[in-house]
Amino acid sequence: MQAKTWHLGDSHQSLVLASFADTLPEVVYWGPPLPDTEDLKQLAAASATDVTGGMVDRNAPISLCPEASQTFPGQIGLTGRDPEGRTLAPQFRFESEASSSHGLTLTYADSQHDLSLIFELSLTPGTSLFRMQTRLETAREITVDWLAAPVLPMPAHTDEMIEFSGRWCAEFQTRRLPFASGARMRDNRTGRSDHAHFPALIACSSATSNTGGEAYAFHYGWSGGHRMVAEELADGRRQVQFGHASASMKKGRSFSTAPLFATFSAAGFNGAAIRFQRHLRENIVVGAREPRPVHYNCWEAVYFDHDLEELKAIATRAAGLGAERFVLDDGWFGLRDDDTSSLGDWAIDKRKYPDGLAPLIAHVKALGLEFGIWFEPEMINEDSELFRAHPDWVLGSPDQVRGRQQLVLDMARENVRAYLYDCISAILAQNDIGYIKWDHNRVLPVVDAAQTDGVYALIDRLRADFPHVEIESCASGGGRIDFGILERTQRVWLSDSNDALERQRIQHEAALFLPASVTGSHVGPRVSHTSGRTLNMSLRAWTAAQRHLGFEMDPRELSDEEIATLKEVTGWWKANRNWMMRADILRLDVSDPAMIAEQQLAEDGERFVVFAALLRTSDPILQQPVRLTGLDAGASYRINLVNRENAPGLSRGAPLLKEKSLVASGQYLMSHGLILPWRFPETIWVIEGQRQ
């Protein structure tokens, strides 16, 4: 059967599509790069599968949108109803194609139902990340319940998947599951990307590790809740689908998925991770401050108890520690003394700030710090002037369950967005503010894509009018982290947990998709406010130094020893941040399950730093060698243990790095690894490497 074929590829991967008899295209190859001489039509012909007893006479393809009309036996890519309520079962046929140097647009149509299905596919040069999107156009208003982004098959040797779950203060939990007959579905109906549903999936084999093996990684760039289907059909074939959360699409004439980002790696999870990290840093995030400023947030120091002189004193101490930005958190507006009132009343509280924010801002600026401020624009308290004036602006029914004492504003309403724009823009225009912490502290009562579109529209308008203002996406910590929100923001608050042990794991897993430059990490109080755990300053400071460094404690509580340690680590971070914020974060495969280790490798490969944290007591008494990755095997590197003075008295031997630096080949460092001094649990070693 004659087929149309298309190839998108580079030096890292190839994706080959084929359309047989003008039906919807299907992926006939996705994997390592193919030679230019490859006969694509032969590959298309070779993709045909056999049939045998108990099967239909022709296997329905896993096309970019599997169709019910093809008797597809699994989850189909489009479900909808016509104006009379009848289920749609279109049969799309090729209509046109348009190509660019790095992309392809394929249009298919069903004349009987007046439908057009458009696939936009591109492979970003430099980062080798696919960006794929599906759009449905109709001549008459229909109802769409599900539209998948371009659907991709998974080969049989990818016998496992890694999915993401979590909760507040324990985000980015990974679960490695086997593929099995049937569908694994996640339908996130919280209305945001959510702590429990980071919109991503990695398909791999049981042998895939951080540094070796094949991996297929996906991320759905949407902030409003997603649906993911990873399905193994009864015949053994597998497919992966992503789209908006079910019931979030409704009546209309035009429907579009968010972009699905995907890549194939032959170099383990790190091979995929660095593409997502680089793509986000270079192609998604716009307007991030450089160099990245050391951040101070006053939340865990004062909470709602705002006193001008006290805040000035805290800012002075934070500046002395090395902070370069001061963020005034919740409690500055309305009559906000706790979390039960005033959301929506975005006017400065004259009780706390009789002369407005100007005196505090002037003090902060005189210290050389940028001033930032907290908003939660999408939310409203019933005890607020806004609610009393506009109870009709609330999203959902009046008798809905409250969350954190608050309701949600209907962001699809233009008058709601206009009101919020006027409030926020007035604060920004009247004060010297360079930063917004944009919070979102509850799930939504209903699932509606229009809510997310409205949030995007408001942020886009503010960004256009105040391009100098950097925005952090915070949603009770990691409740809204995705490429969609990061097109409009420059930083994410990864978790409300400032517990360094919890942060080690959260940061480690998030590095599969997020670079250091957008990932806020703060040195919390001596006693963590979320876990109650007491941790030493060295671990807290070096953990925060692995990402965009900040402080979030009352600096007046610090001992002289803690101050000295924090200033030392902050000075080290400032000296290294320019290259570290553009480094690849490579997760290391370690033999000790009590350890988490990562290597940040500079763009030019000339230098790196390794952070090796021991979270609990090791089972073996001796430290196991830490093997590095991504180095030039034939080059020599000088290795230095930055914090060797932290070796405890029970480290009684003389490992080389405890006394002096080591010069060794990249091959040795990757194959044998580094022997580190013995240490207590809940400590961290920091190792620098420089190519000789």
Side-chain angles (χ1 to χ4, degrees), residues 36-266:
D36 294 338
T37 56
E38 194 77 61
D39 186 336
L40 301 184
K41 295 198 180 298
Q42 282 286 301
L43 297 189
S47 70
T49 56
D50 205 353
V51 294
T52 185
M55 301 178 70
V56 294
D57 293 340
R58 183 176 62 84
N59 294 315
I62 300 178
S63 69
L64 296 186
C65 186
E67 297 171 286
S69 60
Q70 296 285 329
T71 319
F72 186 71
Q75 301 287 318
I76 58 175
L78 167 63
T79 58
R81 289 158 280 156
D82 68 14
E84 288 72 43
R86 294 182 295 251
T87 300
L88 294 172
Q91 297 185 39
F92 290 103
R93 293 296 181 267
F94 177 81
E95 187 172 86
S96 66
E97 66 176 278
S99 60
S100 63
S101 56
H102 304 291
L104 181 67
T105 299
L106 301 175
T107 301
Y108 285 73
D110 180 314
S111 57
Q112 180 182 350
H113 295 90
D114 293 323
L115 297 173
S116 293
L117 195 62
I118 301 100
F119 303 106
E120 297 177 350
L121 316 169
S122 62
L123 181 60
T124 306
T127 60
S128 193
L129 203 66
F130 285 107
R131 185 186 189 277
M132 304 179 172
Q133 200 160 3
T134 303
R135 189 170 75 255
L136 179 68
E137 305 286 350
T138 171
R140 53 183 179 159
E141 191 172 82
I142 63 172
T143 299
V144 169
D145 299 310
W146 169 246
L147 178 65
V151 177
L152 298 172
M154 288 293 98
H157 64 270
T158 56
D159 54 350
E160 293 186 347
M161 68 182 88
I162 297 176
E163 66 169 16
F164 295 81
S165 59
R167 58 169 175 81
W168 179 70
C169 285
E171 294 84 350
F172 286 93
Q173 296 181 33
T174 58
R175 291 193 290 177
R176 196 159 176 163
L177 305 171
F179 270 100
S181 184
R184 176 69 180 174
M185 180 185 295
R186 299 186 71 90
D187 194 12
N188 170 21
R189 299 171 59 84
T190 66
R192 61 185 186 184
S193 12
D194 200 57
H195 303 78
H197 299 281
F198 177 65
L201 181 77
I202 301 174
C204 59
S205 75
S206 55
T208 305
S209 66
N210 290 320
T211 57
E214 293 190 341
Y216 296 81
F218 304 84
H219 171 69
Y220 192 60
W222 173 246
S223 308
H226 75 285
R227 181 181 175 191
M228 181 275 292
V229 179
E231 183 177 30
E232 181 175 301
L233 305 178
D235 58 30
R237 293 179 296 162
R238 296 170 180 152
Q239 64 163 335
V240 170
Q241 296 188 10
F242 275 90
H244 287 13
S246 60
S248 66
M249 289 188 175
K250 295 180 181 165
K251 289 184 178 179
R253 294 173 182 246
S254 179
F255 307 86
S256 181
T257 70
L260 175 64
F261 299 91
T263 195
F264 162 80
S265 165

Side-chain angles (χ1 to χ4, degrees), residues 639-658:
I639 308 299
N640 183 55
L641 188 60
V642 175
N643 58 337
R644 58 169 56 94
E645 71 280 358
N646 289 350
L650 280 177
S651 171
R652 298 184 299 166
L656 181 64
L657 285 175
K658 186 177 171 183

Side-chain angles (χ1 to χ4, degrees), residues 660-674:
K660 61 182 180 179
S661 61
L662 160 73
V663 176
S665 68
Q667 187 65 69
Y668 173 85
L669 297 172
M670 292 187 291
S671 297
H672 180 275
L674 296 171

Side-chain angles (χ1 to χ4, degrees), residues 4-27:
K4 291 183 174 68
T5 58
W6 301 273
H7 178 214
L8 290 172
D10 59 14
S11 60
H12 297 289
Q13 60 185 321
S14 286
L15 181 79
V16 178
L17 298 166
S19 173
F20 299 92
D22 286 340
T23 58
L24 290 181
E26 58 187 282
V27 173

Side-chain angles (χ1 to χ4, degrees), residues 219 296 318 394 413 416 461 467 518 574 658 684:
H219 171 69
Y296 176 79
V394 170
R413 297 179 60 135
V416 170
R461 185 180 178 191
V518 305
K574 286 182 176 180
K658 186 177 171 183
I684 188 169

Side-chain angles (χ1 to χ4, degrees), residues 38 119 138-139 141 155-156 188 196 198 283 351 357 454 460 480 482 542 558 571 593 614:
E38 194 77 61
F119 303 106
T138 171
E141 191 172 82
N188 170 21
F198 177 65
N283 300 104
R351 302 171 307 158
L357 295 175
D460 289 345
R480 186 160 60 187
D482 55 81
W542 283 116
L558 300 179
L614 190 65

Side-chain angles (χ1 to χ4, degrees), residues 176 207-215 265-273 512 585-590 597-599 627-631 670:
R176 196 159 176 163
T208 305
S209 66
N210 290 320
T211 57
E214 293 190 341
S265 165
F269 301 130
N270 286 340
L512 288 167
I585 303 173
L586 305 174
R587 298 167 14 131
L588 297 180
D589 292 321
V590 293
E598 71 176 34
Q599 175 184 330
R627 299 200 299 171
L628 309 189
T629 190
L631 304 180
M670 292 187 291

Side-chain angles (χ1 to χ4, degrees), residues 264-421:
F264 162 80
S265 165
F269 301 130
N270 286 340
I274 62 175
R275 294 181 202 161
F276 281 97
Q277 293 172 23
R278 292 176 183 178
H279 189 84
L280 184 62
R281 194 173 58 235
E282 297 169 15
N283 300 104
I284 300 290
V285 173
V286 177
R289 201 85 72 243
E290 291 186 2
R292 304 302 280 145
V294 177
H295 196 94
Y296 176 79
N297 184 288
C298 71
W299 177 242
E300 294 195 18
V302 301
Y303 291 99
F304 296 103
D305 187 15
H306 288 212
D307 177 83
L308 179 59
E309 294 307 314
E310 187 175 59
L311 286 167
K312 286 181 178 179
I314 289 172
T316 299
R317 294 233 182 177
L321 294 170
E324 298 164 314
R325 171 189 285 154
F326 178 92
V327 179
L328 184 68
D329 213 286
D330 193 356
W332 58 267
F333 57 93
L335 300 174
R336 183 78 163 172
D337 295 327
D338 55 34
D339 62 5
T340 65
S341 77
S342 299
L343 284 176
D345 298 343
W346 300 108
I348 297 166
D349 186 346
K350 293 298 185 181
R351 302 171 307 158
K352 300 175 182 177
Y353 300 96
D355 299 314
L357 295 175
L360 178 59
I361 293 176
H363 180 80
V364 167
K365 300 290 288 187
L367 293 168
L369 278 65
E370 179 182 71
F371 186 83
I373 195 166
W374 180 95
F375 285 97
E376 192 174 4
E378 298 147 78
M379 303 296 161
I380 183 172
N381 287 124
E382 288 164 282
D383 182 10
S384 68
E385 295 303 318
L386 180 62
F387 182 83
R388 285 184 278 273
H390 294 287
D392 55 312
W393 284 8
V394 170
L395 180 70
S397 64
D399 61 348
Q400 65 182 269
V401 177
R402 275 58 175 162
R404 200 176 182 255
Q405 325 294 328
Q406 61 198 49
L407 298 167
V408 183
L409 289 169
D410 186 350
M411 299 299 293
R413 297 179 60 135
E414 186 175 351
N415 53 358
V416 170
R417 298 197 302 273
Y419 167 81
L420 291 172
Y421 173 84

